[in-house]
Amino acid sequence: MSTVIVCPRCGCACDDVEVVVRDGRVAEARGACEAGRRWLLAPRPEEEPAAVVEGRPVHDDEAVRAAARLLRDARRPLVWGLVRTSCEAVRPAVEIAERLRGAIDPAAGPNHPDAVAAFAEWGEVTTTLGEVALHRALVVLWLADPAGTHPRLLERFGVAGDESRVVRVRAAPGGGDWTVPPGRELETLWLLRELARRRMDGKAASGPVPDPADPSAALAARLLDRIAAAPYVAWVFDAPLGAGQQHALRATAATLNAVTRVRLVPLRGGGNRVGAEAVLTWQTGFPIAVDFSAGWPRSLGRGTGAARLLETGAVDAALVVGADPAELPDEPAFARLRDLPLVLLDSEPNSLDGAARVRLRSAPGGLASGGTLFRMDGVALGLRPAVGSRYPDEETWLRRILAALREGRP
């Protein structure tokens, strides 16, 4: 039997992957990239118990009560993760954090607060994968290599095999027309913005004229010429860029939109990172790092998300849902999760498995459970499960924990 599904492995969330199921498992994954095939075809034995408390298998009801008790006894619990789960599961996770006056923060990565701050200051003109293809856009890859992280992205943009519509700006030694001088990435962006302002105004703006012999200024000028000649531009960049480039990118894009249409495309990771932030914003007004200790949602502010709470000992228990701290090697603070009373809910093997007091296994989202996922461009997609699972999905587990908290069961 074959089924067309949405593959949630990377941010492209390809919705044209045909999986062939034999004997209850995926035997073929037609149209998926290599990373997607590895995930879809990976063996998923279901002999592991659905619920483990203090190292021993237990009935689901006992595990739910233990999870609720652990979280209820905490002074300030942290709800963290939410990147491998559906939007429907994020809602009860937010309510759990609110009910317990804890904190909640999606596992977005170490530099994501910089992106949120830049977005709040400058805004962001976005696009969809389909719109880029429809407009036959020029694709500018700013210090990004989607072949390694989002293998089908250029195909989805309609530029695969057509290098005439791709500008690959690199930061590497060796020269070349589209190579940023080492350490001058931020300067090059501001120079590009200044040159765009001068072209837009039609006269010399205040300040010195960029030296055309300077390598950064020369690159900015060539890039401006190429962008201005295109009717539509998709500017693709790695989401984890630092604070300076996050601000400069958005400011420069805002200025370039007076010259032509420029749309920003951050390369967000896989799973449902965008959806988790969308639901959190809808429920609280903030996309990341929300604190309920006062009885209402407050932003923890830049630099005071989950990592900071863990570093300072400000949280004393954790509910980790659909995320693994081992996937964030630049965030050593998350190693502290192992030292906290911990409830772990995940469909995948997790580096916290041995540390969790309560370990709940869930059906893999997009493969054995449904729901809604947001693609990296903000488009909501319905997940269509292809196989069955004896494990409940994350929404079911979280709603059962929430019900136990409401009832105050011991």
Side-chain angles (χ1 to χ4, degrees):
M1 180 183 72
S2 66
T3 306
V4 177
I5 67 166
V6 175
C7 175
R9 188 58 180 170
C10 79
C12 290
C14 299
D15 56 359
D16 58 351
V17 174
E18 182 182 3
V19 296
V20 178
V21 178
R22 300 191 188 103
D23 299 324
R25 63 179 297 272
V26 176
E28 298 179 48
R30 301 166 182 165
C33 67
E34 184 57 33
R37 275 195 296 273
R38 284 197 302 269
W39 183 78
L40 290 166
L41 299 174
R44 289 181 172 81
E46 299 212 338
E47 293 81 13
E48 293 289 333
V52 174
V53 176
E54 302 289 357
R56 62 183 180 86
V58 299
H59 190 275
D60 292 5
D61 290 340
E62 181 179 346
V64 167
R65 290 195 298 269
R69 185 167 56 248
L70 183 153
L71 296 170
R72 189 190 306 116
D73 290 346
R75 173 181 49 84
R76 190 187 188 193
L78 168 68
V79 179
W80 179 78
L82 307 170
V83 297
R84 283 201 289 261
T85 192
S86 67
C87 292
E88 289 78 2
V90 178
R91 291 187 64 185
V94 175
E95 190 169 347
I96 288 171
E98 181 177 17
R99 175 168 289 274
L100 297 173
R101 295 202 173 192
I104 184 169
D105 198 11
N111 292 333
H112 191 56
D114 296 327
V116 173
F119 174 81
E121 180 173 351
W122 295 100
E124 187 173 281
V125 183
T126 60
T127 187
T128 66
L129 307 186
E131 190 176 6
V132 173
L134 178 67
H135 288 284
R136 295 186 54 79
L138 172 70
V139 177
V140 176
L141 302 178
W142 176 261
L143 314 181
D145 181 19
T149 57
H150 300 69
R152 292 186 63 193
L153 181 66
L154 296 186
E155 175 190 338
R156 305 298 298 277
F157 280 164
V159 299
D162 185 1
E163 287 297 314
S164 66
R165 288 173 51 203
V166 181
V167 173
R168 301 176 186 272
V169 183
R170 299 179 173 91
D177 285 349
W178 305 111
T179 300
V180 183
R184 300 185 66 183
E185 298 86 1
L186 180 58
E187 181 182 356
T188 301
L189 286 172
W190 288 123
L191 283 167
L192 174 60
R193 184 176 187 237
E194 177 62 18
L195 291 173
R197 287 174 57 203
R198 292 171 183 271
R199 179 171 299 194
M200 176 184 63
D201 293 343
K203 58 183 179 180
S206 59
V209 177
D211 181 3
D214 177 76
S216 286
L219 173 61
R222 286 195 299 271
L223 196 53
L224 178 59
D225 287 342
R226 190 70 187 276
I227 288 172
Y232 198 101
V233 178
W235 186 298
V236 181
F237 62 97
D238 271 335
L241 289 177
Q245 286 196 62
Q246 294 283 0
H247 283 267
L249 270 170
R250 287 162 177 80
T252 300
T255 301
L256 286 171
N257 268 290
V259 178
T260 186
R261 290 184 291 177
V262 177
R263 305 295 185 256
L264 293 178
V265 184
L267 290 179
R268 298 297 304 274
N272 195 27
R273 286 168 169 78
V274 177
E277 293 169 16
V279 174
L280 191 57
T281 304
W282 163 40
Q283 295 285 289
T284 70
F286 308 106
I288 58 171
V290 181
D291 177 43
F292 291 100
S293 60
W296 60 87
R298 299 183 301 174
S299 171
L300 284 166
R302 185 174 170 188
T304 52
R308 183 62 178 163
L309 295 177
L310 290 164
E311 285 174 351
T312 60
V315 291
D316 56 347
L319 168 61
V320 174
V321 183
D324 189 340
E327 297 172 3
L328 298 174
D330 296 331
E331 287 281 18
F334 288 110
R336 296 174 181 263
L337 284 167
R338 303 185 66 86
D339 302 325
L340 295 179
L342 175 65
V343 178
L344 174 62
L345 168 58
D346 201 357
S347 61
E348 306 286 340
N350 196 296
S351 64
L352 296 173
D353 279 336
R357 294 191 187 178
V358 180
R359 183 21 162 138
L360 308 174
R361 297 190 180 275
S362 55
L367 181 63
S369 65
T372 306
L373 170 145
F374 275 60
R375 202 166 60 191
M376 57 182 267
D377 57 0
V379 173
L381 301 172
L383 299 174
R384 299 181 289 273
V387 299
S389 174
R390 72 183 186 89
Y391 302 127
D393 60 27
E394 287 93 349
E395 181 187 8
T396 299
W397 278 121
L398 290 168
R399 290 202 177 280
R400 290 179 68 180
I401 293 172
L402 182 58
L405 289 170
R406 286 172 177 162
E407 295 168 10
R409 294 200 302 256

